[in-house]
Amino acid sequence: MVDLRERSERVWGWLADVPDPEIPVISIVDLGIVREVNWHDDPAGAVCEVVITPTYSGCPATEVIGRSIEEALRERGVERVRLESRIAPAWTTDWLTSEGRRKLSEYGIAPPARRADGRQVIDISGLRRRTAEDAPAACPHCGSAHTEPISRHGSTPCKALHRCLDCREPFDYFKCH
């Protein structure tokens, strides 16, 4: 019999293959949307519970992500799936994996800035987070930090539109949340 930890690790692996519907080069695991995988036993059999946190409250992709999770698990023989959507704590770009950041950059989306020590850049003065407009985003095309915001709104609500002043290419910037 496979123990709960092994079953959970398998599910995490399967979910790492589920792409984000808005940015298909990154998985929902690398994006930090999947928060927990739990197994529960009840009289009708084992239930796999997957806890997700949407990138922002009201994200239109949340429903699609839920269906994709259920489909991926059922294709692998998990008959009973329960999804729980948690909005607290709120999703943060701190939950992006290193692999996810790399994939975003290769896709042409600048991942949110991090400090040299790897922590997220958060300006607590005025008790607000820095916005995409506050910190220069490195260009995913040429690597230059000589960029500027064009619009607070990008191709999806979680991205802003920037332009590189060196190579002149526009690019999406994943907003810090």
Side-chain angles (χ1 to χ4, degrees):
M1 184 78 178
V2 179
D3 72 359
L4 292 179
R5 193 174 130 250
E6 266 186 73
R7 284 198 290 184
S8 293
E9 286 175 10
R10 278 190 201 160
V11 171
W12 276 101
W14 296 333
L15 295 177
D17 292 334
V18 175
D20 177 72
E22 293 178 338
I23 311 169
V25 298
I26 188 171
S27 78
I28 59 174
V29 170
D30 282 333
L31 198 51
I33 292 172
V34 178
R35 303 305 306 148
E36 296 176 24
V37 172
N38 303 302
W39 285 90
H40 304 283
D41 287 318
D42 70 20
V47 177
C48 180
E49 176 189 56
V50 179
V51 178
I52 60 173
T53 298
T55 54
Y56 69 94
S57 183
C59 175
T62 304
E63 188 176 317
V64 174
I65 291 168
R67 284 195 310 264
S68 297
I69 289 170
E70 290 174 341
E71 182 178 301
L73 298 183
R74 289 200 171 102
E75 284 175 356
R76 290 168 173 92
V78 179
E79 296 176 22
R80 302 185 67 216
V81 178
R82 181 172 51 226
L83 293 173
E84 180 184 334
S85 184
R86 278 193 204 148
I87 58 172
W91 179 87
T92 169
T93 51
D94 292 343
W95 295 351
L96 284 164
T97 65
S98 296
E99 179 73 5
R101 289 173 177 281
R102 182 188 64 74
K103 288 176 181 177
L104 284 174
S105 185
E106 288 175 358
Y107 189 62
I109 299 172
R114 284 196 174 273
R115 299 182 342 177
D117 63 8
R119 295 189 333 215
Q120 181 72 39
V121 178
I122 299 176
D123 177 0
I124 61 170
S125 66
L127 298 177
R128 66 177 183 87
R129 290 181 182 253
R130 296 182 73 172
T131 66
E133 293 77 17
D134 292 335
C139 174
H141 304 292
C142 72
S144 172
H146 193 214
T147 63
E148 68 180 357
I150 297 172
S151 173
R152 295 184 84 161
H153 308 288
S155 59
T156 63
C158 56
K159 291 181 271 184
L161 186 60
H162 282 233
R163 170 180 42 226
C164 179
L165 299 173
D166 289 334
C167 73
R168 310 299 294 169
E169 290 292 325
F171 62 92
D172 278 333
Y173 174 75
F174 208 92
K175 295 177 186 176
C176 294
H177 286 64

